[in-house]
Amino acid sequence: MAQQSPSGRQGTADLGLSQNGIRQGPGKNSASVGDESYHNNAEPHRKRVLAWIDISNGYQHDSVSHAVATIERLGYETGAYDTFIRTDSHMITKGEVTGSDGQPLLYSKNLNDFDAIFFFGVREIDLTASQRRDLLAFVHEDGKGFVAAHAGATAFFSWPEFGQMLGGRFDEHPWGITDAPVLVEDPKFPGMTNLPSTFHHIDEYYQIKDFSRSNVHVLLRLDVSKLDMTMPLVHHKDADFPLAWAKTYGKGRVYYSALGHDPSTWDDRAIQQMYFEALRWALHLTDAEITPRPFPAAAGTSR
């Protein structure tokens, strides 16, 4: 699937942006000019992304570290956004962030300081009721973005509202890691334009539950006609296995992609482009038509 540049380099410099008044590329970021200038727009600034990867109560997925490093590099090299990486959930609040001694942390930030979240957490994460309300409000009322990758769909099974925001839940990976064809349902969505209508890709393909096409705009789906649908963990009776989608949640924008199991996947230029453009869309830097659509009738049913 890799879409390499003519030189063969899989870096990100060719993803650069050009926006009047915004500092571009590596160098001074929004953090170094102080939070006051960020909030009052005294100095042009880039968008801020909180990379949230709290895995304290679950398995540390092998690709988490490289995925977050890639997301940070994409923003840094292109100048599209600044990334703040957190392996805890202290900043998932609109209230004051304090240290273990109960005192306010120096230069601490909270959800009010960010424009979108990139999420790669897993399983249950310890959030208070207030933190949960603030996270939902960050997207629903504030109109911010939420982009979740791969195992992010395994998080918060005890929290129905999170699943409603995300648009679907992990329901096993019946075929493990396998090479299978992926179908592009919306070639016009940012990050999909460079992909062929069908491409082969090796990944740990997820089966999704608590999902309805009436609530989301599907971008990618698995072509299960080439897979064994008699596997014990296959729960679906149809051929609708979505892999990536976009949706709104109140005023905010939500994006999920199941791709990204192996660390090397994040070196794939097509995967980098997909998540980079997902973040730009979630940050309201680009727009796209995301009206929900039914499962294509021509796709039929699985064997």
Side-chain angles (χ1 to χ4, degrees), residues 79-291:
Y81 55 82
D82 293 314
T83 308
F84 290 73
I85 299 172
R86 295 293 297 199
T87 58
D88 58 62
S89 297
H90 293 351
M91 291 185 181
I92 307 301
T93 179
K94 293 185 177 183
E96 188 174 60
V97 177
T98 60
S100 57
D101 59 359
Q103 298 300 309
L105 290 176
L106 183 65
Y107 303 129
S108 66
K109 295 174 177 59
N110 63 19
L111 288 175
N112 295 323
D113 294 294
F114 299 99
D115 303 290
I117 289 172
F118 173 77
F119 178 67
F120 207 155
V122 298
R123 304 305 191 265
E124 296 299 328
I125 296 172
D126 296 326
L127 295 184
T128 66
S130 176
Q131 284 182 297
R132 292 187 176 199
R133 288 193 298 270
D134 288 350
L135 176 60
L136 296 181
F138 172 82
V139 183
H140 195 275
E141 276 79 48
D142 300 344
K144 304 295 184 66
F146 191 89
V147 175
H150 194 54
T154 74
F156 295 114
F157 279 125
S158 66
W159 185 16
E161 290 81 5
F162 179 83
Q164 294 166 11
M165 177 184 73
L166 189 62
R169 298 280 200 171
F170 167 78
D171 184 25
E172 304 294 348
H173 34 69
W175 305 281
I177 301 170
T178 189
D179 185 347
V182 175
L183 304 173
V184 179
E185 287 203 17
D186 184 359
K188 295 182 180 180
F189 190 89
M192 303 289 148
T193 56
N194 62 318
L195 296 173
S197 59
T198 302
F199 60 88
H200 273 265
H201 177 65
I202 298 174
D203 217 307
E204 183 184 58
Y205 293 109
Y206 280 6
Q207 181 175 237
I208 301 296
K209 64 180 180 180
D210 300 337
F211 166 87
S212 172
R213 279 181 175 258
S214 64
N215 300 323
V216 309
H217 181 82
V218 175
L219 306 172
L220 300 174
R221 79 172 187 271
L222 187 63
D223 182 359
V224 295
S225 68
K226 311 299 182 183
L227 296 172
D228 182 1
M229 295 295 287
T230 67
M231 296 291 285
L233 293 179
V234 174
H235 301 153
H236 286 203
K237 301 303 180 183
D238 58 32
D240 196 4
F241 281 70
L243 293 176
W245 61 77
K247 66 186 292 284
T248 56
Y249 181 69
K251 298 178 182 178
R253 296 179 174 185
V254 176
Y255 182 103
Y256 172 74
S257 174
L259 303 186
H261 171 76
D262 191 82
S264 65
T265 306
W266 293 86
D267 294 324
D268 189 312
R269 289 291 292 109
I271 297 296
Q272 290 181 2
Q273 186 81 29
M274 181 185 71
Y275 279 107
F276 176 72
E277 293 296 345
L279 278 166
R280 291 189 65 215
W281 173 78
L283 288 163
H284 295 265
L285 295 174
T286 59
D287 288 307
E289 171 60 46
I290 59 165
T291 301

Side-chain angles (χ1 to χ4, degrees), residues 32-91:
S32 56
V33 301
D35 288 346
E36 182 177 354
S37 67
Y38 179 83
H39 289 298
N40 65 19
N41 291 312
E43 185 172 342
H45 59 266
R46 296 191 287 246
K47 297 284 189 176
R48 280 180 173 175
V49 173
L50 172 61
W52 177 32
I53 52 172
D54 192 331
I55 51 177
S56 55
N57 293 326
Y59 164 64
Q60 179 164 343
H61 201 284
D62 289 345
S63 65
V64 163
S65 295
H66 192 44
V68 174
T70 300
I71 291 298
E72 192 278 337
R73 182 166 57 87
L74 288 168
Y76 185 77
E77 290 188 358
T78 64
Y81 55 82
D82 293 314
T83 308
F84 290 73
I85 299 172
R86 295 293 297 199
T87 58
D88 58 62
S89 297
H90 293 351
M91 291 185 181

